[in-house]
């Protein structure tokens, strides 16, 4: 029996950086009544608050919800109010070195030639993220920018040469996430198991990037039962079936 259902965010519960829709929010509210729920992604807490937490039904059992920003290097729980349980932040010196390398590598790869909507480099404390078209780029532009991952694979290789002691991961539709070595969604799941006390075999994970090189794939490699979804609509069908089974 699965006790905790974990989800990727963008492409799984919602379109990239968009709030979850009302039907999804209603389903998550129902799921929280019968199971623990976790959401893990590369975004920071404000993004989760906007996309997920603020959209949930008023009667949702938030005590059963685990929010894991920045690939699980942070954890937020609801205890009368949302509180941060832990954060594995970079030092100021580490952050400066990463931002410098990101700026240099992205310019060398010609990625600053494209139009930008907002800042391209965002310091999320425990993760620094490069967004090819900026943080506020429209969804259609993001989908068209790097559909075959070629631009980000070039940038990933250039950054790995400059930052060999850090983890450089492709995430979202236009982004590169930089964390400490060994930090990926498997790391986030390990921290979730430690914090929740729920064993790996009692967890089910849903994500849209469960393929070699995808940022959800480490969860499957870690040994957690995983369902690969095509899109948000498929996630909704699966969640509805899970709720029916757990009831």
């Amino acid at each position: 029996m699965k006790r905790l259902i974990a989800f990727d965010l963008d492409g799984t519960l919602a379109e990239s950086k968009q709030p979850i829709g009302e039907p999804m929010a209603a389903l998550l509210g129902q799921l929280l009544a019968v199971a623990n729920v976790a959401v893990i992604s590369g975004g920071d807490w404000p993004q989760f608050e906007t996309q997920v937490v603020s959209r949930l039904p008023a009667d949702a059992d938030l005590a059963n919800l685990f929010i894991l920003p920045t690939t699980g290097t942070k954890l937020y729980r609801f205890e009368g109010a949302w509180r941060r349980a832990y954060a594995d932040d970079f030092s100021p010196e580490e952050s400066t070195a990463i931002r410098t390398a990101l700026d240099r590598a992205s310019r060398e790869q010609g990625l600053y030639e494209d139009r930008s909507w907002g800042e391209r480099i965002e310091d999320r404390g425990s993760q620094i993220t490069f967004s090819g078209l900026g943080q506020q780029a429209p969804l259609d532009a993001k989908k068209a920018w790097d559909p075959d991952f070629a631009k980000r694979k070039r940038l990933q290789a250039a950054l790995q040469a400059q930052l060999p002691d850090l983890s450089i991961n492709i995430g979202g539709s236009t982004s590169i996430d930089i964390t400490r070595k060994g930090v990926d969604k498997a790391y986030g799941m390990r921290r979730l198991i430690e914090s929740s006390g729920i064993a790996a075999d009692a967890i089910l994970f849903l994500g849209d990037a469960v393929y070699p090189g995808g940022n959800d794939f480490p969860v499957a490699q870690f040994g957690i039962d995983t369902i690969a979804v095509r899109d948000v609509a498929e996630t909704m069908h699966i969640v509805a079936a899970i709720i029916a089974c757990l009831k």
Side-chain angles (χ1 to χ4, degrees):
M1 176 69 73
K2 299 303 182 185
R3 295 177 52 202
L4 189 151
I5 313 301
F7 299 90
D8 166 56
L9 178 49
D10 288 344
T12 301
L13 291 178
E15 297 293 348
S16 180
K17 293 195 175 179
Q18 302 301 306
I20 60 173
E22 289 186 13
M24 180 67 80
L27 281 172
L28 289 178
Q30 295 173 41
L31 185 59
L32 284 164
V34 294
N36 292 282
V37 173
V39 185
I40 181 170
S41 186
D44 207 350
W45 165 251
Q47 184 175 332
F48 280 85
E49 191 172 27
T50 299
Q51 286 188 257
V52 180
V53 174
S54 65
R55 305 285 294 180
L56 293 173
D59 61 351
D61 190 350
L62 300 181
N64 287 340
L65 181 58
F66 296 79
I67 297 292
L68 294 134
T70 54
T71 320
T73 56
K74 298 178 184 178
L75 171 65
Y76 283 77
R77 299 299 313 280
F78 187 79
E79 301 169 354
W82 284 99
R83 305 185 189 282
R84 191 172 68 183
Y86 68 76
D88 303 331
D89 288 346
F90 285 120
S91 69
E93 294 76 18
E94 289 173 318
S95 296
T96 298
I98 294 167
R99 292 175 66 91
T100 299
L102 258 176
D103 186 72
R104 180 189 307 118
S106 56
R107 291 184 188 279
E108 289 173 352
Q109 296 301 316
L111 301 184
Y112 265 83
E113 297 170 2
D114 298 322
R115 180 181 174 186
S116 173
W117 287 264
E119 293 294 324
R120 282 187 164 95
I121 299 175
E122 181 185 6
D123 188 339
R124 298 172 177 172
S126 55
Q127 174 178 296
I128 295 178
T129 295
F130 172 84
S131 298
L133 298 179
Q135 298 294 325
Q136 307 303 322
L139 186 60
D140 57 348
K142 292 171 72 172
K143 286 184 174 180
W145 184 69
D146 188 30
D148 61 357
F149 304 95
K151 294 179 180 179
R152 283 173 293 165
K153 285 181 179 178
R154 293 200 317 270
L155 179 58
Q156 183 184 37
L159 285 168
Q160 200 68 77
Q162 294 185 46
L163 303 168
D165 295 328
L166 297 177
S167 183
I168 319 292
N169 295 303
I170 294 173
S173 54
T174 66
S175 60
I176 290 279
D177 298 326
I178 301 177
T179 60
R180 288 194 172 89
K181 203 74 170 179
V183 172
D184 54 21
K185 287 184 180 174
Y187 167 91
M189 289 295 101
R190 283 194 293 270
R191 294 299 302 265
L192 175 62
I193 290 166
E194 293 168 3
S195 298
S196 68
I198 297 172
D201 61 5
I203 298 174
L204 176 65
F205 178 87
L206 281 71
D208 70 320
V210 187
Y211 49 78
N215 65 358
D216 296 326
F217 191 60
V219 179
Q221 290 180 304
F222 180 53
I224 287 176
D225 289 335
T226 303
I227 298 176
V229 299
R230 290 187 299 271
D231 51 30
V232 174
E234 185 171 28
T235 301
M236 291 179 61
H237 288 304
I238 294 169
V239 171
I242 291 171
I243 292 167
C245 290
L246 292 179
K247 279 184 176 180

